[in-house]
Amino acid sequence: MKIVISRETLLKGLQTVAGVVEKRQTKPILGNVLMQLEDQTLTLVGTDLEVEVRAQVLVDSSDAPSFATTLPALKLLGIVRALPDGAVVQLTFDADGRCTLSSGRSRYRLSTLPADEFPLMDLTQTSLSLSVPQATLRALLAHTHFAMAAQDVRYYLNGMLFDIADHSLRVVATDGHRLSTCATELETEALSPTQVILPRKGVLELVKLLEPRDDLVQLSIASNMLAVQLEGVSFISKLIEGRFPDYRRVIPKDNPLKLRADRNLLRDILHRATILSNDRFRGVRLNLEPGLLTVHAQNAEQDEAHEELVVEYEGTPLEIAFNVQYLLDVLGALQGDFAELAFRDANGPLLVEEAHEALHCQHVVMPMRL
């Protein structure tokens, strides 16, 4: 069996699926990529049993109409990536379960594992399907994913909530100290209320796959899986079982103290203050008075940072502290030239809202004690 394919085509497909393949696996087959050939279309599949990504590419030629096997994913990716631009790759599969990869004067021998041992996810019992512009879905995730928990014992926080109701899709991420949510309106018939939690790894892999394009992608939900169908790429992920906290109760309704500042200037002074903040707590103190914001940071070695910025603020003087990284994450997600921050008092949460194009986003950051 022989397959001939361009280096760029094969590399694009491998890069798409290899992100879900773990370097250390409980089963050897999980370190491999499944290769299925059908009528000159090569389907590449990578999985870790929780997330599965499929990519379809066209081969230049093959001497059989159909074929299936598996090859070590990261080794194959490393070899193809190292080949020169414009190279042609020839894969020859022997009866003894070995594959010879040839390109120019280069030869590599790789071991295979049977394709029927490769675990595939089955998304047949779909309960809800909807279409959303690819750029919109990408923006929803990009504006919120940084607020997900990483290894919280509250396992349902180690992912992102997809909240679907009527004509809207909302995503929510929180780690208990901050919360980010974005919503968009869908051009569809009224949808039944549905909430599912996509795990952290699935969210991060999906962000990599999505592109800022206006074509529609299909989002399908089953009882324990979520799938996204893009052009030539399929993404499937198992869901986290659990009840996500009521995010609506966290979003403050009355924050009368408003600060408006140049977003880039505010981000710059917070970046500089970070240098001398405490490495563990990352706290900075904000002092607000009419027309002026003062940022102060201090570490255990008694190093200090002091920054001032002229802002639009007419409220009463206020002193409040935050984890500086949380503030930087929010400012990095905003799109406008100016950032508007709303406070209630020195003990209440910060609220940042922004509406642009098809999205309405809200970010809540809880204060900290220094």
Side-chain angles (χ1 to χ4, degrees):
M1 170 62 197
K2 184 186 299 181
I3 296 174
V4 179
I5 186 172
S6 71
R7 177 249 185 195
E8 283 70 25
T9 300
L10 181 56
L11 179 61
K12 182 179 180 181
L14 289 172
Q15 288 176 327
T16 300
V17 305
V20 301
V21 179
E22 300 285 354
K23 293 183 178 179
R24 297 181 179 179
Q25 309 87 18
T26 55
K27 300 179 180 179
I29 194 71
L30 296 179
N32 281 21
V33 57
L34 175 65
M35 307 180 72
Q36 297 175 313
L37 179 68
E38 190 71 34
D39 296 330
Q40 305 301 305
T41 298
L42 182 65
T43 301
L44 305 170
V45 187
T47 186
D48 65 352
L49 296 180
E50 299 294 325
V51 180
E52 177 183 294
V53 178
R54 305 185 185 192
Q56 290 185 329
V57 296
L58 294 177
V59 303
D60 294 338
S61 65
S62 64
D63 59 5
S66 63
F67 179 73
T69 189
T70 73
L71 285 171
L74 300 182
K75 291 178 182 177
L76 180 60
L77 175 62
I79 293 169
V80 176
R81 181 183 285 146
L83 292 174
D85 294 342
V88 175
V89 178
Q90 178 175 295
L91 300 172
T92 304
F93 300 91
D94 302 331
D96 61 356
R98 303 276 286 178
C99 171
T100 301
L101 187 155
S102 307
S103 181
R105 294 178 177 271
S106 302
R107 298 288 186 278
Y108 300 89
R109 293 273 285 171
L110 296 170
S111 298
T112 67
L113 289 175
D116 55 10
E117 294 182 7
F118 194 89
L120 291 172
M121 294 186 182
D122 181 20
L123 188 73
T124 55
Q125 303 298 320
T126 299
S127 60
L128 178 69
S129 295
L130 58 95
S131 296
V132 59
Q134 184 172 179
T136 300
L137 181 57
R138 182 177 185 268
L140 285 171
L141 303 185
H143 283 72
T144 54
H145 72 84
F146 53 82
M148 292 186 297
Q151 293 180 323
D152 201 294
V153 293
R154 297 164 293 182
Y155 58 92
Y156 47 82
L157 297 185
N158 301 318
M160 178 178 291
L161 174 70
F162 281 63
D163 187 2
I164 301 167
D166 294 332
H167 303 278
S168 69
L169 167 62
R170 177 182 293 275
V171 298
V172 188
T174 180
D175 62 5
H177 304 287
R178 54 177 170 173
L179 179 145
S180 290
T181 176
C182 278
T184 188
E185 293 296 316
L186 303 172
E187 296 181 2
T188 180
E189 297 180 357
L191 300 168
S192 58
T194 303
Q195 288 191 345
V196 297
I197 307 173
L198 184 63
R200 178 184 177 88
K201 181 175 181 179
V203 174
L204 299 180
E205 287 300 323
L206 186 54
V207 169
K208 296 177 186 176
L209 297 176
L210 294 169
E211 298 180 1
R213 294 161 41 184
D214 293 331
D215 59 307
L216 294 177
V217 298
Q218 186 78 15
L219 192 151
S220 303
I221 296 174
S223 60
N224 64 338
M225 292 186 188
L226 180 145
V228 179
Q229 181 64 52
L230 297 84
E231 183 179 356
V233 177
S234 298
F235 167 91
I236 305 176
S237 174
K238 290 184 178 179
L239 298 171
I240 295 177
E241 295 183 5
R243 186 172 181 83
F244 203 83
D246 186 359
Y247 61 89
R248 297 176 182 87
R249 298 177 58 186
V250 178
I251 301 174
K253 300 297 188 294
D254 182 24
N255 276 28
L257 303 177
K258 311 288 186 180
L259 178 149
R260 188 171 189 267
D262 182 289
R263 182 174 67 93
N264 291 322
L265 292 179
L266 179 56
R267 187 167 57 175
D268 288 345
I269 69 171
L270 290 174
H271 266 303
R272 292 195 294 268
T274 303
I275 299 171
L276 297 186
S277 65
N278 187 290
D279 290 339
R280 181 179 178 185
F281 300 107
R282 310 286 285 175
V284 296
R285 184 177 290 108
L286 308 184
N287 286 279
L288 284 74
E289 54 187 83
L292 185 67
L293 168 67
T294 303
V295 178
H296 182 81
Q298 185 174 358
N299 58 31
E301 290 77 30
Q302 301 303 311
D303 302 322
E304 294 186 28
H306 186 89
E307 293 271 2
E308 292 185 350
L309 179 65
V310 175
V311 298
E312 297 179 24
Y313 179 74
E314 300 299 333
T316 57
L318 175 69
E319 181 178 293
I320 189 169
F322 293 100
N323 182 311
V324 66
Q325 189 58 53
Y326 294 171
L327 298 180
L328 289 172
D329 286 341
V330 171
L331 292 173
L334 300 180
Q335 299 294 303
D337 294 331
F338 291 89
E340 297 187 2
L341 286 62
F343 306 86
R344 183 180 65 210
D345 52 42
N347 299 311
L350 162 69
L351 174 64
V352 181
E353 293 189 83
E354 185 180 46
H356 57 88
E357 298 179 359
L359 302 185
H360 176 228
C361 300
Q362 296 172 298
H363 307 276
V364 179
V365 182
M366 301 302 295
M368 62 185 300
R369 293 183 180 181
L370 293 180

